[in-house]
């Protein structure tokens, strides 16, 4: 019988989830192998990486923002040192308020103590930037950050390759077997396997019945003539300065879509929204798309399969991977090593407890 390479963990997928889970497991001296295939629709390599204390028209506070953001900052700054690249950038976001409702919500929320660190009077509405169309009003969001997610996964991949622990592999579920308490896949034998497949997990036979609700997101890189904006702008869409006259402009968000490729619909929508935000012409440099691993209750999916405790999942990072992934990658690491529990809100057993009990896992023989 072929000799297998013994490792502690096989991780499938090296987006943000697989990157941070492998990072924390390796910090605990675990032997890890990462199997990843660059499928269309993967998102970390195109994400803006924003961390934003409040979101949406109702200016709602992000779930557990302070604790998650503090841990995220610490993690990305450690990775900056280790990988020798800039990853963590603190920004303000200048946000257009489009109507009376939004201005009133802004003023109402600003009065609450838990918002006072984040919501500031906006820049002078007359002259924030003459290239932008004047909305009803402006507000300024403090305490935001941008994480260079594409650079993080790329550099981490190189690090894994140097250690001979990264393999390009489109995972074939039929070749996964369990031998005693171990899992065996092709050349590897491991204590556990953890799937970090982003939106493609909808096809994973172990976890496909979890309530995934993927959304397609499209963006464009555009050139806007003139000096770079000194802040991120959220007008009709986000305009994120990337250096020089280049900007990340996006994004669409659609539950119904055909395929993972950039679409004519997406391009038109982005062009229209840019036109509503800018007074000046812009040049489209590229157009990209990804499928966000969004889920029905907007909380991450962490845990192990109830019939196969050696098969785990780290998913459901949705629209907030940059904020959520560090804290929950560490929590999952501790859990997998028997050193801690999962929060009830993120543990996938929450679906067994509810109406989906006995229904959502597909049993494997
Ligand atoms: C346009 C857009 C903008 C965004 N902006 C932000 C933002 O500003 N802030 C923020 O926090 N989040 C943002 N997000 C969301 C963010 O991208 C996600 O939360 C996060 O990157 C998800 O990471 P992941 O590792 O779960 O998935 P992915 O990044 O999709 O990684 C999954 C990896 O697994 C691989 N894979 C899948 N199946 C298999 C298999 N069977 N075998 C081998 N490999 C496999 C995939 O190819 C991929 O490499 C944005 C998303 C989009 C689309």
């Amino acid at each position: 019988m072929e000799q297998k390479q013994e490792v502690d963990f096989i991780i499938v997928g090296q987006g943000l989830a697989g990157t941070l889970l492998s990072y924390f497991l390796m910090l605990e001296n675990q032997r890890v192998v990462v199997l990843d295939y660059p499928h269309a629709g993967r998102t970390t390599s195109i994400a803006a990486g924003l961390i934003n204390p409040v979101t949406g028209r109702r200016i709602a506070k992000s779930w557990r923002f302070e604790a998650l953001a503090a841990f995220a900052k610490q993690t990305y700054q450690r990775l900056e040192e280790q990988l020798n690249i800039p990853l963590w950038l603190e920004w303000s976001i200048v946000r257009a308020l489009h109507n009376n409702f939004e201005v009133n919500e802004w003023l109402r929320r600003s009065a609450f103590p838990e918002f006072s660190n984040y919501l500031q009077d906006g820049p002078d509405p007359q002259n924030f930037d003459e290239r932008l169309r004047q909305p009803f009003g402006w507000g300024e969001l403090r305490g935001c950050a941008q994480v260079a997610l594409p650079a993080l996964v790329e550099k981490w991949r190189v690090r894994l390759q140097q250690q001979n622990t990264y393999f390009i592999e489109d995972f074939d579920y039929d070749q996964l077997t369990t031998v005693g308490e171990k899992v065996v896949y092709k050349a590897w034998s491991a204590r556990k396997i953890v799937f970090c497949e982003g939106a493609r997990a909808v096809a994973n036979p172990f976890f496909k019945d979890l309530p995934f609700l993927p959304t397609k997101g499209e963006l464009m890189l555009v050139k806007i003539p003139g000096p770079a904006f000194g802040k991120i702008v959220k007008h009709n869409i986000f305009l994120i300065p990337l250096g020089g006259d280049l900007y990340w402009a996006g994004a669409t968000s659609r539950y119904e879509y055909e395929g993972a490729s950039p679409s004519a619909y997406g391009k038109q929508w982005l062009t229209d929204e840019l036109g509503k935000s800018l007074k000046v012409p812009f040049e489209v440099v590229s157009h990209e798309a990804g499928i966000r691993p969004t889920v029905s209750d907007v909380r991450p999916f962490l845990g192990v399969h109830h019939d196969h405790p050696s098969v785990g999942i780290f998913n459901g990072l949705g629209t907030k991977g940059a904020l959520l992934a560090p804290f929950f990658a560490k929590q999952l690491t501790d859990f997998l090593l028997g050193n801690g529990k999962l929060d009830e809100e993120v543990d996938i057993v929450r679906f067994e407890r509810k109406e989906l009990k006995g229904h959502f896992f597909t049993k494997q023989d």
Side-chain angles (χ1 to χ4, degrees):
M1 198 173 137
E2 185 199 351
Q3 187 71 30
K4 304 289 179 193
Q5 185 192 344
E6 293 272 341
V7 293
D8 295 306
F9 288 89
I10 298 171
I11 292 179
V12 181
Q14 195 242 328
L16 181 60
T19 294
L20 290 178
L21 184 62
S22 57
Y23 166 70
F24 281 114
L25 285 169
M26 288 161 84
L27 280 183
E28 299 293 335
N29 297 317
Q30 299 300 299
R31 297 163 301 167
V32 175
V33 68
V34 177
L35 310 181
D36 178 54
Y37 187 84
H39 284 287
R42 64 196 190 280
T43 59
T44 310
S45 48
I46 61 159
L50 292 185
I51 290 185
N52 191 338
V54 299
T55 49
R57 286 185 69 232
R58 293 198 169 269
I59 313 178
K61 187 96 174 277
S62 280
W63 179 61
R64 297 194 191 174
F65 181 76
E66 278 77 12
L68 297 180
F71 193 80
K73 179 175 180 174
Q74 177 189 316
T75 303
Y76 293 122
Q77 289 186 334
R78 286 194 180 148
L79 276 158
E80 279 183 337
E81 280 172 32
Q82 210 175 322
L83 299 175
N84 201 20
I85 47 164
L87 291 175
W88 177 266
L89 184 58
E90 292 182 6
W91 279 108
S92 282
I93 300 178
V94 174
R95 181 172 157 158
L97 304 170
H98 290 291
N99 49 44
N100 228 343
F101 170 81
E102 290 188 11
V103 170
N104 285 339
E105 278 298 284
W106 185 275
L107 294 173
R108 195 172 68 82
R109 299 282 188 183
S110 306
F112 296 145
E114 67 267 33
F115 285 85
S116 59
N117 287 341
Y118 307 120
L119 305 190
Q120 306 282 318
D121 284 346
D124 183 347
Q126 296 310 312
N127 63 0
F128 166 63
D129 192 290
E130 60 190 17
R131 291 167 291 174
L132 290 162
R133 291 191 194 280
Q134 183 60 46
F136 202 77
W138 291 105
E140 183 161 342
L141 274 175
R142 298 278 173 85
C144 308
Q146 186 185 14
V147 185
L149 296 182
L152 170 61
V153 290
E154 202 180 306
K155 272 280 187 177
W156 187 249
R157 183 171 309 133
V158 172
R159 177 63 59 95
L160 294 172
Q161 282 165 337
Q162 286 164 346
Q163 297 173 353
N164 252 332
T165 51
Y166 176 91
F167 298 89
I168 295 181
E169 168 80 18
D170 190 2
F171 194 83
D172 177 0
Y173 306 103
D174 290 339
Q175 299 211 38
L176 180 66
T177 53
T178 46
V179 176
E181 297 202 333
K182 297 201 163 183
V183 289
V184 174
Y185 180 75
K186 293 192 176 174
W188 299 279
S189 163
R191 289 199 287 125
K192 283 188 171 24
I193 184 165
V194 185
F195 289 100
C196 303
E197 301 167 291
R200 288 187 65 90
V202 295
N204 183 310
F206 292 92
F207 298 109
K208 68 181 170 54
D209 293 332
L210 284 168
F212 292 101
L213 211 56
T215 45
K216 184 169 182 178
E218 300 189 44
L219 66 108
M220 297 198 300
L221 297 186
V222 297
K223 285 187 173 179
I224 303 170
F229 298 155
K231 293 172 181 170
I232 293 174
V233 174
K234 168 71 170 56
H235 201 292
N236 277 37
I237 54 174
F238 278 100
L239 292 168
I240 304 174
L242 296 178
D245 58 359
L246 192 64
Y247 295 81
W248 187 105
T252 66
S253 182
R254 297 191 89 198
Y255 289 108
E256 286 173 14
Y257 50 85
E258 280 181 22
S261 308
S263 69
Y265 166 87
K267 187 166 192 179
Q268 190 59 53
W269 188 88
L270 290 164
T271 304
D272 290 347
E273 297 307 305
L274 272 161
K276 289 180 205 161
S277 306
L278 292 168
K279 284 191 205 160
V280 291
F282 56 89
E283 178 194 336
V284 178
V285 176
S286 64
H287 173 203
E288 299 182 64
I291 313 295
R292 301 179 186 89
T294 32
V295 302
S296 66
D297 67 351
V298 207
R299 294 289 177 264
F301 287 169
L302 275 69
V304 292
H305 191 281
H306 66 167
D307 286 340
H308 301 284
S310 47
V311 180
I313 185 166
F314 183 26
N315 208 302
L317 295 177
T319 59
K320 296 189 179 170
L323 175 67
L324 297 167
F327 185 90
F328 289 110
K330 172 73 170 102
Q331 186 172 103
L332 183 58
T333 296
D334 291 343
F335 170 76
L336 292 169
L337 298 180
N339 298 330
K341 288 186 174 169
L342 297 176
D343 289 344
E344 284 192 4
E345 282 170 288
V346 302
D347 191 335
I348 53 171
V349 298
R350 68 191 185 272
F351 301 111
E352 291 178 80
R353 285 197 307 265
K354 290 187 187 167
E355 65 279 5
L356 289 163
K357 184 166 170 47
H359 163 69
F360 85 92
F361 285 131
T362 303
K363 293 198 177 185
Q364 302 290 300
D365 295 320

